[in-house]
Amino acid sequence: MKKNIIYFICVALFLTSCSTYRSSQTPDDVYYSPAKKVVPADQYDEYQSYTSSSDDDYLRMKVADHYRWSNLDDFDYWYDSRYYYNNYYSYYNPWNTYYSPWGVSLAYNFYNPYTSFWYSPWNSVYCPAYTVVYYKNPSVYYGTRTANSYHLSTYSNHNYNNTNMPMRNGSRSNVYINGNSSRRNDNYIINQNRNNSNPVRLFNNNNNSNSNFNSGSSHNMSSGGSSGGGMSRAPRGGH
Amino acid sequence: MFIRKVLLLIIGVALFGVGFSQTPEDALKNAWFIPNGTARSISIGGAMGSLGGDISSVYTNPAGLGMYKTREVVLTPSFLTNNNKADFRGTNTSGINKSGFQLGTAGVVIGGKINQANNSTAFAITINQLASYNNHFHYSGLNDTTSYSEQYLEELTKDNANVNAALNNYPFSSSLAFITYLIDSVADGNGSLIGYRSLVPVGNGNSVRQEYDEINKGGLYEVSFGFASNEMDKLYLGASINLPLSFYTQDINYRENDPTDNTNNNFDYSELTQHHTLNGAGLNARLGLIYNLQNSLRLGLAIHTPSLMTFTDNLDVSMTTNTENYAGTQTVKSSDFPDAASQTRYNETTPYRIIASASYVLHEVENVKMQKGFIAGDIEFVNYRGSRFSAEGDNNDGSLTDYYNSLNDVIKSYYKGAFNFRLGGELKFSPFAIRLGGAYYGSPYKDKNLKANRILAAGGLGYRNQGFFIDLTIAETFNKDVNFPYRLTDEPNTFAQLKNSRTNVLLTFGVKF
């Protein structure tokens, strides 16, 4: 448990250090999601609507690091046929929709040197946030355990009994308090030499062949019913 | 060689056509739950259907991702504790607890513009533990009406099973009872088999003490890929492709014992132990839209397609019975049966869901100091009776097909469609926020005698500043359900009324980048 907490704290601190909003208001996308632009917090003393101008962004970066961004200042960039249909937004927007109807193209983002890299290393292909989760079906095999329809028939029994009979003289009476409660049907019990309180079920029709039946003794019958050797049960003791 | 294998398979299937298989309860595992999410979404009762702007939108209405023009990464560890109470035939059991970690929503949302200031798209990859199976149920009480041994009597007599079949063909149920002498055969005067009887003295003034213990582990996880678009900050369209992964482990220990001191009534106790694992994977999709009316009113509609899942089911059962002077103590395991197939595979189609939502947001403005709060609500319909099972892959065995058809018929008659309601809100005092929410999930059972529902009450705090946000939520879920220790066809069934109180503490940590 301690390890989990430590791991969580480490990950949290690491991620926090990568945020691009550390010196600005943190957007709350439930209310309003601004297009990506970092504005110092002190500019929010009065409400300002966000204006997006990639030209401004470009110039700002060029001023900050002339040599780094100077290679963008060429004809091929501004008039690249891939972006010509709307090039200045493509320059700014890492989610250029050129290859994707969703406007999401990770592959494009990875290979385009003009996107994603200037605000944060998290925007890059090296960012652990770009976790790609691979899914694969587990390898399993089909068994031969099959169906028991008897169990399903029990779901049609909507007769319930959730109360016991009251105790009378230390034992439970078979007189039921709730007259509408269904109780055991003892008609199943035939004239056998056994305790009448032991539940019994009889076949509905006795036309099955049971000539090998051997009541009350050891049943060691491995033939006929099993494909791989039969089960047996231990002989009874005492009876 | 090949023909021999085929013949053995055919004979095996024919002989073991009465083994354990999937039950209607399996249909609820991946359908009837309050989905987990981020701390913020849970604190407002999960009412994210029209709100959007939270990564957990992937799990309710993926159109909500369209609110994002920023990027964020989110982690949500959580800790839950279960407190269970049970009422079984007038005997109350309480204080059964189980706790553990749970993974909430974690993932990445990447929003961006297209070519106009108010048009954008967003993409998210998330993983979430939608449901936690971790729990521990326990109940006990006297029963003066029925014994679990009677399910085996019914099974054998309905199948007209002879002694050889009783010994061999039910390795997960009746054969265990027959071999341990929990049940025995009944002959007429000519020595012919006419039925089966139980060794458990119950009814006619006799009672048996029944004790049920179930420990569940695992959860339903989902890996999601969400996409959404935003048109002019008015219409949001979204879709997600989701890979549900289910890992379920169930350990049941059921015991019946003679509550009297009588050592000559041929029954002391019988104990059944079952270890069951159920692992599955599948695919589903969610589609949704959100329309942002004027005055900050948002309306949402989402459809969750059924999940198409394939499961691998492993089962091991053992039984020990002490019939005193009758046959003493006998133990047998399903693994003792040479042909018992402890593993099977099947397909499940989970129910679809439809969610209609509305929310009102106070001050949809960029300046977070002017954002004041919101209120949101969802109404969800889940067609629980729409779950379907089928044999896996190219297995076209007729008995399996018949079984799954019967199972689907039972699901249609046993369950119903139900409405779920979620409501919550937030008051924001930037950088802080307080939240409150609740949810009600209706009973999936058609039979009104089976009382069941899920109620969620949650509250939370949020802090959002310096590029990160942290949300803390405490959610209390009150689950009411029923549990049948066994089921019978021709005697009244008994069940325990379960009450589970689950406390879940969620902490979501997110970073905007």
Side-chain angles (χ1 to χ4, degrees), chain A residues 29 93 95 140 147-148 221, chain B residues 17 110 113 155 164 345 512:
Chain A
D29 301 89
N93 175 20
W95 298 112
V140 289
N148 179 353
M221 306 167 189
Chain B
I110 300 170
K113 297 182 299 180
E155 184 175 53
N164 199 36
R345 293 189 70 188
K512 311 294 288 188

Side-chain angles (χ1 to χ4, degrees), chain B residues 46-118:
Chain B
M48 292 299 303
S50 62
L51 203 56
D54 187 279
I55 195 171
S56 61
S57 298
V58 174
Y59 302 102
T60 48
N61 186 348
L65 294 174
M67 305 281 177
Y68 278 99
K69 294 173 187 168
T70 63
R71 305 172 177 194
E72 69 183 34
V73 58
V74 169
L75 291 173
T76 308
S78 68
F79 184 79
L80 63 85
T81 60
N82 288 288
N83 191 309
N84 291 295
K85 296 179 181 176
D87 178 4
F88 180 62
R89 304 185 68 80
T91 300
N92 293 308
T93 306
S94 62
I96 306 300
N97 302 318
K98 193 171 193 304
S99 59
F101 277 102
Q102 185 176 5
L103 173 68
T105 305
V108 180
V109 183
I110 300 170
K113 297 182 299 180
I114 302 179
N115 53 10
Q116 297 178 42
N118 293 326

Side-chain angles (χ1 to χ4, degrees), chain A residues 28-29 31 33 93 95 135 140 145-148 155 160-161 164 183-184 197 221 223 231 233-234 237, chain B residues 16-17 25 69 89 110 113 142 145 155 164 168 178 181 184 202 281 325 341 345 426 428 447 512:
Chain A
D28 189 341
D29 301 89
Y31 295 86
S33 187
N93 175 20
W95 298 112
Y135 173 77
V140 289
R145 174 155 50 94
T146 54
N148 179 353
Y155 287 84
Y160 305 116
N161 171 264
N164 293 322
R183 293 284 177 171
R184 168 173 304 289
S197 66
M221 306 167 189
S223 62
M231 293 291 290
R233 60 178 184 175
Chain B
F16 290 88
E25 281 84 358
K69 294 173 187 168
R89 304 185 68 80
I110 300 170
K113 297 182 299 180
L142 289 174
T145 306
E155 184 175 53
N164 199 36
N168 293 285
F178 191 67
Y181 287 96
D184 205 351
V202 64
N325 296 325
R345 293 189 70 188
E426 174 182 281
K428 190 167 185 180
D447 189 340
K512 311 294 288 188

Side-chain angles (χ1 to χ4, degrees), chain B residues 100-136:
Chain B
F101 277 102
Q102 185 176 5
L103 173 68
T105 305
V108 180
V109 183
I110 300 170
K113 297 182 299 180
I114 302 179
N115 53 10
Q116 297 178 42
N118 293 326
N119 284 3
S120 62
T121 58
F123 173 66
I125 302 175
T126 65
I127 184 169
N128 188 16
Q129 186 177 352
L130 282 174
S132 171
Y133 301 137
N134 283 303
N135 212 340
H136 183 189

Side-chain angles (χ1 to χ4, degrees), chain B residues 181-255:
Chain B
Y181 287 96
L182 175 64
I183 61 174
D184 205 351
S185 47
V186 176
D188 62 10
N190 299 321
S192 297
L193 180 68
I194 58 172
Y196 294 89
R197 68 186 178 102
S198 168
L199 270 291
V200 182
V202 64
N204 295 320
N206 293 294
S207 298
V208 63
R209 175 169 294 282
Q210 300 176 329
E211 186 173 2
Y212 181 91
D213 190 90
E214 178 179 337
I215 297 175
N216 297 318
K217 297 176 183 174
L220 175 63
Y221 298 81
E222 203 165 80
V223 178
S224 297
F225 303 87
F227 311 86
S229 67
N230 158 31
E231 294 209 13
M232 305 298 290
D233 290 338
K234 281 290 182 186
L235 178 63
Y236 304 87
L237 300 173
S240 65
I241 303 295
N242 314 289
L243 308 173
L245 306 167
S246 180
F247 305 98
Y248 177 68
T249 301
Q250 178 194 54
D251 286 290
I252 292 176
N253 190 281
Y254 177 81
R255 183 182 173 94

Side-chain angles (χ1 to χ4, degrees), chain A residues 219-237:
Chain A
H219 302 288
N220 188 9
M221 306 167 189
S222 59
S223 62
S226 172
S227 62
M231 293 291 290
S232 63
R233 60 178 184 175
R236 285 176 47 198

Side-chain angles (χ1 to χ4, degrees), chain A residues 1 8 11-12 15-16 19-22 25-36 44 47-48 50 52 86 89 92-95 97 102-104 122-123 129-131 133 135 137 140-148 150-155 157-165 172 182-186 188 190 192 194 196-203 205-206 208 210 213 219 221 223-231 233-234 236-239, chain B residues 9 15-20 25 40 52 67 69-71 75 89 108 110-115 121 142 144-145 150-151 153-155 157 160-164 168-169 172 178 181 184-185 187 191 193-207 243 245 281 298 312-313 325-326 330 337-339 341-343 345 361 365-368 371 373-374 395 400 403 426 428 447 464-467 487-495 509 511-512:
Chain A
M1 180 173 172
F8 176 73
V11 171
L15 292 175
T16 303
S19 175
T20 58
Y21 295 91
R22 297 183 67 185
Q25 284 193 336
T26 305
D28 189 341
D29 301 89
V30 169
Y31 295 86
Y32 185 92
S33 187
K36 186 174 178 58
Y44 282 97
Y47 172 70
Q48 295 180 350
Y50 175 71
S52 62
N86 193 7
Y89 259 112
Y92 182 76
N93 175 20
W95 298 112
T97 58
W102 286 100
V104 177
W122 293 99
N123 293 356
Y130 282 94
T131 303
V133 180
Y135 173 77
N137 268 322
V140 289
Y141 71 93
Y142 174 70
T144 57
R145 174 155 50 94
T146 54
N148 179 353
Y150 153 72
H151 188 66
L152 296 177
S153 65
T154 63
Y155 287 84
N157 179 11
H158 298 293
N159 191 12
Y160 305 116
N161 171 264
N162 285 318
T163 55
N164 293 322
M165 292 175 291
R172 297 189 185 279
S182 176
R183 293 284 177 171
R184 168 173 304 289
N185 180 2
D186 285 332
Y188 283 105
I190 62 171
Q192 296 283 325
R194 61 177 179 270
N196 278 346
S197 66
N198 291 128
V200 175
R201 301 292 191 279
L202 303 181
F203 299 124
N205 48 22
N206 290 319
N208 54 326
N210 293 307
F213 175 72
H219 302 288
M221 306 167 189
S223 62
S226 172
S227 62
M231 293 291 290
R233 60 178 184 175
R236 285 176 47 198
H239 289 267
Chain B
L9 178 63
L15 293 175
F16 290 88
V18 285
F20 176 89
E25 281 84 358
R40 189 180 200 180
M67 305 281 177
K69 294 173 187 168
T70 63
R71 305 172 177 194
L75 291 173
R89 304 185 68 80
V108 180
I110 300 170
K113 297 182 299 180
I114 302 179
N115 53 10
T121 58
L142 289 174
D144 64 353
T145 306
E150 293 177 67
Q151 63 184 316
L153 303 179
E154 290 185 352
E155 184 175 53
T157 53
N160 281 330
N162 62 20
V163 170
N164 199 36
N168 293 285
N169 291 1
F172 301 95
F178 191 67
Y181 287 96
D184 205 351
S185 47
L193 180 68
I194 58 172
Y196 294 89
R197 68 186 178 102
S198 168
L199 270 291
V200 182
V202 64
N204 295 320
N206 293 294
S207 298
L243 308 173
L245 306 167
R298 301 175 186 176
T312 302
D313 180 313
N325 296 325
Y326 192 81
Q330 305 289 337
F337 292 75
D339 293 327
S342 63
Q343 184 179 81
R345 293 189 70 188
V361 181
V365 294
E366 182 179 9
N367 186 353
V368 298
Q371 298 166 353
F374 61 77
N395 176 43
L400 268 183
Y403 174 79
E426 174 182 281
K428 190 167 185 180
D447 189 340
R464 181 178 290 257
N465 202 5
Q466 296 188 331
R487 289 177 183 268
L488 303 172
T489 58
D490 52 14
E491 292 292 340
N493 278 312
T494 187
F495 60 85
F509 179 81
V511 174
K512 311 294 288 188

